[in-house]
Amino acid sequence: MMDYTQGKNKLENWIVSEMEFSPDSLGKCEAIMSLGNGYMGLRSITEEPYINETRNMFVSGTFNKAFENEATELPNLADITRMDIRVDGERFSLELGKINSYMRQLNLKTAELTRSFDWVSPLGKELRFVFKRFVSLHDLHLIGMKMEVECLTAPVEFSFESGIDAQRDNSGSQHFLEGDRRIFDRQFIQLVQTTNESEIDVVINTAHKITVNGQPIEYEPKMKMNRRKVWQSYEFKLQPNDKLEVEKLTTLYTSRDKEVDNGSYSLAELREQSLQALKKSVKEGYDLLFNAHQKEWDEKVWNVYNFEIGSEDGFDQLAMRFSLYHLTCMTPAHDDRMGIAAKGLSGEGYKGHSFWDTELFILPFFIYSNPEIARSLLIYRYRGLVGARKKAMENGYEGAMYPWEMAWPSDGEVTPEWGDIDIVTGTQTKIWPGFIEQHISADIAFAVYQYDNVTNDPEFLKDYGYEIVFDTARFWASRLEWNDEKKEYHINGVIGPDEYKEHIDNNAFTNYMAYFNMKLAIRYYEKLEKENPELLEKLKGLLQLERAFADWNLKVEAIYLPAPRKEDLVIAQDDTYLHLKEIDLSKYKNQDRVRTIYDDYNSEQINAIQVSKQADTLILLYLLEQTFLHDDPRIAGNVKRANFRYYEPKTLHDSSLSLTTHAIVASDIGDRDLAYSLFKKSTEIDLGPKMNTSDMGIHAASIGGIWKTAVFGFAGIRLADRTLKVNPALPDHWTHLKFAIQWQGQTVTFSITPSNLSVTVSGGKTLAFENGGNLYTCEESIDIPIAAASSASH
Amino acid sequence: MMDYTQGKNKLENWIVSEMEFSPDSLGKCEAIMSLGNGYMGLRSITEEPYINETRNMFVSGTFNKAFENEATELPNLADITRMDIRVDGERFSLELGKINSYMRQLNLKTAELTRSFDWVSPLGKELRFVFKRFVSLHDLHLIGMKMEVECLTAPVEFSFESGIDAQRDNSGSQHFLEGDRRIFDRQFIQLVQTTNESEIDVVINTAHKITVNGQPIEYEPKMKMNRRKVWQSYEFKLQPNDKLEVEKLTTLYTSRDKEVDNGSYSLAELREQSLQALKKSVKEGYDLLFNAHQKEWDEKVWNVYNFEIGSEDGFDQLAMRFSLYHLTCMTPAHDDRMGIAAKGLSGEGYKGHSFWDTELFILPFFIYSNPEIARSLLIYRYRGLVGARKKAMENGYEGAMYPWEMAWPSDGEVTPEWGDIDIVTGTQTKIWPGFIEQHISADIAFAVYQYDNVTNDPEFLKDYGYEIVFDTARFWASRLEWNDEKKEYHINGVIGPDEYKEHIDNNAFTNYMAYFNMKLAIRYYEKLEKENPELLEKLKGLLQLERAFADWNLKVEAIYLPAPRKEDLVIAQDDTYLHLKEIDLSKYKNQDRVRTIYDDYNSEQINAIQVSKQADTLILLYLLEQTFLHDDPRIAGNVKRANFRYYEPKTLHDSSLSLTTHAIVASDIGDRDLAYSLFKKSTEIDLGPKMNTSDMGIHAASIGGIWKTAVFGFAGIRLADRTLKVNPALPDHWTHLKFAIQWQGQTVTFSITPSNLSVTVSGGKTLAFENGGNLYTCEESIDIPIAAASSASH
């Protein structure tokens, strides 16, 4: 039902389309066509309501804990999209009557949602509808909507009710106190809502602007008010060929906006300002406002990332644009107190919390493509040290133990405690990651390292980065457990990336990453000793670094790092995995939904089977290959290959984080067909034919992974400390790949064909990079022929 | 679309039917067909969901204040009625496909809701559905549901999801913390929810019992859990003529249940007990459980009230049964800590609060028909003295100032402060009655007086009644304002029953009722002095009665009681009403919805017009006629007539309390046609063709008024202190009227035809009553011919 072949013109591969209305899978379009600007996100629910819709709007950072026994989350705001439309007194719904020429489209280039169709009412009257909508990138507080209705046959009575409805909640949890509602000048509707715990005021203003046949009309709608609702009611008599246009313009401000979140905030002022902003927007009107928005998308997004994929299948180009579109919508680039949510701002799933998804799956895009935004996202983690220290203290550790799920920086751990049903006991399953999935702290340290190496931003390290790396290393040093028998440090009772294994000892990924984190801290310490002893002194005082440094050196090389088995080079995911029972997993692979194994087994039983939710050992092999471990024979090509062959069949990819890592590793080991097919599968997590996968929101990490697979997988871009490696291995279906990265202050453009790598540098400095084992330097541009063999493996 | 002609057999005039599914006016059937047993009420929402449904279930007395700035209210409980049904994978909905032989019926006799139809799916498969449901009167904690599905043509895949869904709220306000969810033995679903402020635990258990073609089947459904939800999913393949039967049985208990609301309450025990209760019920099954329920309705309701109306229009009999049905459903007869809500338990409207509606419109039915329940309802008000004293104190008065809206007895005033939109300012309108509608205290004193006189229950007076009357009289004495110019006591700045007049001085109803209340207190005091000085001593100490008694005597005769104007006998509703502007009100009379005048005027403007929301002066003339004022020339027949003619045209009947009072007074003044037509209109408030009038719930007072109009109006039953008056005036369309009342411990049956009054007494005592100005006594039975004239006026 989804189609991506639209617009065989300049909009080719820019349009995500729905060709047929499907009321049974509304969640799909609501999420993948969702609109956003990083400040706010709006699910693309239809104006008229349907039973299985999920009417969501979120503003970044407005976290609230509705009830004492719930986790803090992004509250679902009052709805401004719903319009209750009646035609000749009967409810308008696409489930009733007859639909012709249906089309719903998200134009990725202009970030506009449109919906158009001719509708024959059950009484036989025909109307042409066009709906348009955008969430402005130019004015982060603005939402524009437009409805065009043309009467095609007989006269009709057309009426609608529209306003602001704050009877919304998050799956039954209400975050807001009922606030003031008012209609100014019989036109400008204002509703205030305040979160019940974090006390954030949200002020929403909306107004309608009506024309008939292009002429503005004077119309005094009825005014209505109810609990948590305020709206207006309009009635028109349309003659054949009459065209009614309704613009609905909305402004939205909160007391958490950084412009007002200071001592002098006044709700009265915010109400007045936001109302004036609306009045100004209403004067301009939808079209002018939309133009400014569209221009901003060109300037801030498409002209910056300009990512070309030449593929036999245009869908690949579309998928990349889809990725860049949502990476823009989901990211609160405007405010470094906020992070990226696991579902972006497109659904309730994961409550708007930030996971390691950001650092390992999304941040790389920004580090390489828009370092300023990457910096902002890392400052969010720096601010989160407050919460991370709180968590460490609560758990009896030192330093900074980052929360598995992070919301407002000072919150600390916010992972909910209880989840889905346990099919054996009939009770809720305990959610353990908030307690024992600990690699997140090292993942964040890794992100600092990666940001620093790619961007060369010493100010960042000085102001934020060192402190993160040192304090997470302090956590690990306190976390290690001495095994007196083996004379090693172990990390026991954890969950690794593969969450189908709980309470395991020595998860390879966790142990290696802890090792990496402490080694990095030692290296940074020694670097500061030489380069900036003054700063080191300051940090010593703050973080008891002298003792910590001694501790790191004492412990780091005694951390147990599981080596590849001699017989087959397989690295044990943890102490027990390789000894667990193996079962036939085919039933659970490629299901229409994930986690189907839970229909047959509970957590305890899954723990006892060689089955993985997602990449675990493989992500280790991909990730640390980029680091100072890159020469370690333990992770050489053969090891990658052996582990891929061992773990891939056991991995259900029940996490959307999994496929893109497997795709990159498949590309690394030279299996280009498999790599491409895994890439395809990863794009289908949101854009594919399984219609319910995106119900709770888009998959932010998987969307970041689309870019990662293209750049780190097919273009073969890697970081070996401060050296850039470029070893392309295009899929057979691709004719070329072109994109730019930001490398240490310069823009580097890569243009890759199956036989040629062309590198262009702007910025005046010489670029050094490695390709096929050779080191090249480039002043302006260079072309390197690609040997068939060299692209097969690296 | 509603039809009441069903069942030309023994069920004639017992059935409320919907003949055609109307998705645009779901609220009508949800409310008027709602089920209940006084403990709980369940709106008759359909199993499958629709856009404009209101899925409500309430338990009496479980009040909670969800947010600090909201009023306490009855929280909407988790839903157990919804079933998401799919046929061949497509959502089942009566808006889709084709419906044949549709019928939805509430059988008033058995208190069972049924729904049946043949449905042809959009794919052309035909199925026969029958749904049944009851809320047990036998076991107050039990709800029975049954779904029968017969496959009529081709094989179908039939699936449904069903369980407990606590994602419900009250128009967006969530009252419950998310609680434990569990499925025991893969069958018994349990969900706990706890109100966030009053901390009431609600434990809901549900289970499904499946048979195919009459045979129980073993079936292991999928088990599902989500936020605030737990459910199961069933799938069947049905062949032609296969019949699937699904029973869904539910038990519901709360920590407010009087059996457990004591020091030793344990949630764990309640969970266990309620689960065991469910298991027991599941063993019995729908049919046995239903039989017990149906028997209870016969024994406790129909055999007790047995009310016959012989009318040309069978609808009149049905309307009376409808009244008795809902009076039973809405009344928490099981617990004297609870009152009757203005919408019963059938909707969110008025938040489950008790108003004067109970004492003046509903209680009379119970006083005359089921004194034990009347007693319980008055004890609720006695318990409310705590809150009433609190309110008096807060307002600077003495004694007991009853809240305009009452919830839990100790709450005091719970009227919300803000209401609908003010069309002039665009802001919310302030709701004044909670501050200044004060007649409620006297209305409750009146109810004590009426209960005492009709039932002769000295124990009640001793334990509860005196205290209510004395303490409300103390309130009035402290409330009166001395007007030094006129040398009178005034009551200024109030709202009378007619709420379209706010902040008025000397509302006739309020002043007379205050006078009545103080006179009654004096009389009771003097009675106690003679009959029970011991009790008087006790009450003196408790209520400072000695001083109060002196105060009453000093003030009562100086209260200003507006007399009929000399020129036309009209009594001024208040000091200004008769001088206000008159406008053409025809636009606002007989609208499809009430309060249409607010579309054109705001409260302030309505205050300045001679327009009344409801009976005000007329209810005074009806009410106090029954008291020791009955000989007062101020309220003689001519005065009634004059005031009826004056006020009726100015009354919009925008309150459902209005019509039945007007009907009674019309009957009193001999206008039988008008009386009958007003009676008809009053029955149509819920049962009539205006499809949206009952959306927020049934009109409890109006439903009580149906009984009142028949008994006080057409049968002419009145109380003149301790004397029963019976002056029938049957409508021309009625051939006979037969009913029983409980009169001072005896059952008195009246059988009335246009020409004869037959009175039968059981109980052995002599009954004295007045008819047509003559006093009769009756040992067993007596027949009195009715003269045509005597029925015309009294």
Side-chain angles (χ1 to χ4, degrees), chain A residues 24 69-70 73 86 91 95 169 172-174 178 181-183 186 225 227-228 423 426 428, chain B residues 24 69-70 73 86 91 95 169 172-174 178 181-183 186 225 227-228 423 426 428:
Chain A
D24 263 358
N69 67 343
E70 293 187 4
E73 68 184 326
R86 288 182 177 270
R91 183 168 71 88
E95 291 189 299
D169 55 33
S173 287
Q174 178 55 265
E178 185 178 54
R181 283 145 286 155
R182 181 151 181 194
I183 302 181
R186 296 196 168 224
M225 213 182 260
R227 279 180 85 172
R228 297 171 180 269
I423 54 116
Q428 277 190 279
Chain B
D24 263 358
N69 68 345
E70 293 186 3
E73 67 184 327
R86 288 182 177 271
R91 182 168 72 88
E95 290 188 299
D169 56 32
S173 287
Q174 179 55 267
E178 185 177 54
R181 282 144 288 156
R182 181 152 182 193
I183 302 181
R186 295 196 170 225
M225 212 181 262
R227 280 179 85 171
R228 298 174 180 266
I423 52 113
Q428 277 190 279

Side-chain angles (χ1 to χ4, degrees), chain B residues 373-432:
Chain B
I373 295 177
R375 193 176 204 270
S376 175
L377 290 167
L378 283 170
I379 292 174
Y380 167 69
R381 289 299 198 179
Y382 172 78
R383 294 179 181 277
L385 280 172
V386 184
R389 285 169 184 148
K390 189 163 79 179
K391 182 175 175 184
M393 205 136 72
E394 285 164 5
N395 284 270
Y397 301 120
E398 293 177 16
M401 181 186 192
Y402 273 97
W404 176 244
E405 300 187 20
M406 179 167 155
W408 195 246
S410 54
D411 286 341
E413 185 60 66
V414 295
T415 306
E417 256 188 75
W418 299 99
D420 277 358
I421 197 162
D422 178 318
I423 52 113
V424 174
T425 63
T427 57
Q428 277 190 279
T429 304
K430 176 135 181 170
I431 299 178
W432 282 104

Side-chain angles (χ1 to χ4, degrees), chain A residues 657-710:
Chain A
L657 281 58
S658 191
L659 283 165
T660 57
T661 298
H662 277 240
I664 293 171
V665 178
S667 183
D668 282 0
I669 63 175
D671 195 338
R672 285 192 295 179
D673 287 349
L674 183 58
Y676 184 61
S677 104
L678 288 166
F679 168 78
K680 285 293 219 192
K681 274 192 193 166
S682 78
T683 62
E684 287 177 355
I685 289 174
D686 283 309
L687 285 177
K690 295 176 186 170
M691 292 307 280
N692 297 311
T693 48
S694 307
D695 286 358
M696 299 300 282
I698 50 115
H699 298 78
S702 160
I703 280 170
I706 292 173
W707 180 91
K708 275 179 68 182
T709 306

Side-chain angles (χ1 to χ4, degrees), chain B residues 355-357 360-361 404 432-443 476 479 491-514 572-577 598 607 611-620 655 657:
Chain B
F355 293 67
W356 74 316
D357 305 38
L360 290 205
F361 295 85
W404 176 244
W432 282 104
F435 301 95
I436 57 172
E437 188 156 357
Q438 296 166 355
H439 59 82
I440 175 74
S441 294
D443 304 337
W476 287 116
R479 173 66 182 86
I491 303 176
N492 296 327
V494 299
I495 300 177
D498 170 16
E499 293 167 344
Y500 284 175
K501 295 288 161 287
E502 292 173 342
H503 308 288
I504 48 161
D505 298 339
N506 295 312
N507 169 250
F509 182 82
T510 305
N511 284 25
Y512 272 94
M513 289 298 285
Q573 186 178 305
D574 59 59
D575 281 356
T576 52
Y577 192 99
Y598 277 94
N607 256 326
V611 59
S612 295
K613 181 180 179 187
Q614 67 189 88
D616 186 306
T617 307
L618 291 188
I619 191 162
L620 164 70
S655 161
L657 281 60

Side-chain angles (χ1 to χ4, degrees), chain A residues 23-24 49-53 67-71 73 82 84 86 89-91 95-96 166-184 186 196 222-228 230-231 348 351 418-429 593 599 696, chain B residues 23-24 49-53 67-71 73 82 84 86 89-91 95-96 166-184 186 196 222-228 230-231 348 351 418-429 593 599 696:
Chain A
D24 263 358
Y50 295 96
I51 286 295
N52 292 320
E53 69 182 17
F67 292 95
E68 198 40 58
N69 67 343
E70 293 187 4
E73 68 184 326
R82 177 164 169 175
D84 287 284
R86 288 182 177 270
E90 297 204 325
R91 183 168 71 88
E95 291 189 299
L96 311 174
Q167 291 187 4
R168 318 306 314 170
D169 55 33
N170 291 52
S171 297
S173 287
Q174 178 55 265
H175 288 275
F176 291 101
L177 276 79
E178 185 178 54
D180 239 33
R181 283 145 286 155
R182 181 151 181 194
I183 302 181
F184 294 89
R186 296 196 168 224
N196 70 331
K222 290 223 174 77
M223 307 199 291
K224 310 274 186 93
M225 213 182 260
N226 208 323
R227 279 180 85 172
R228 297 171 180 269
V230 51
W231 73 101
E348 272 185 38
K351 300 177 185 295
W418 298 99
D420 276 358
I421 197 162
D422 179 319
I423 54 116
V424 174
T425 62
T427 58
Q428 277 190 279
T429 304
R593 55 192 178 85
D599 295 345
M696 299 300 282
Chain B
D24 263 358
Y50 296 96
I51 286 293
N52 292 320
E53 69 182 19
F67 292 94
E68 197 42 56
N69 68 345
E70 293 186 3
E73 67 184 327
R82 177 162 169 174
D84 286 284
R86 288 182 177 271
E90 298 204 323
R91 182 168 72 88
E95 290 188 299
L96 311 173
Q167 291 187 1
R168 318 305 316 170
D169 56 32
N170 292 50
S171 297
S173 287
Q174 179 55 267
H175 287 276
F176 292 101
L177 275 78
E178 185 177 54
D180 239 32
R181 282 144 288 156
R182 181 152 182 193
I183 302 181
F184 295 89
R186 295 196 170 225
N196 70 330
K222 291 224 173 75
M223 306 199 292
K224 310 277 186 88
M225 212 181 262
N226 207 322
R227 280 179 85 171
R228 298 174 180 266
V230 51
W231 73 103
E348 271 185 38
K351 300 174 186 295
W418 299 99
D420 277 358
I421 197 162
D422 178 318
I423 52 113
V424 174
T425 63
T427 57
Q428 277 190 279
T429 304
R593 54 191 179 86
D599 295 345
M696 298 300 282

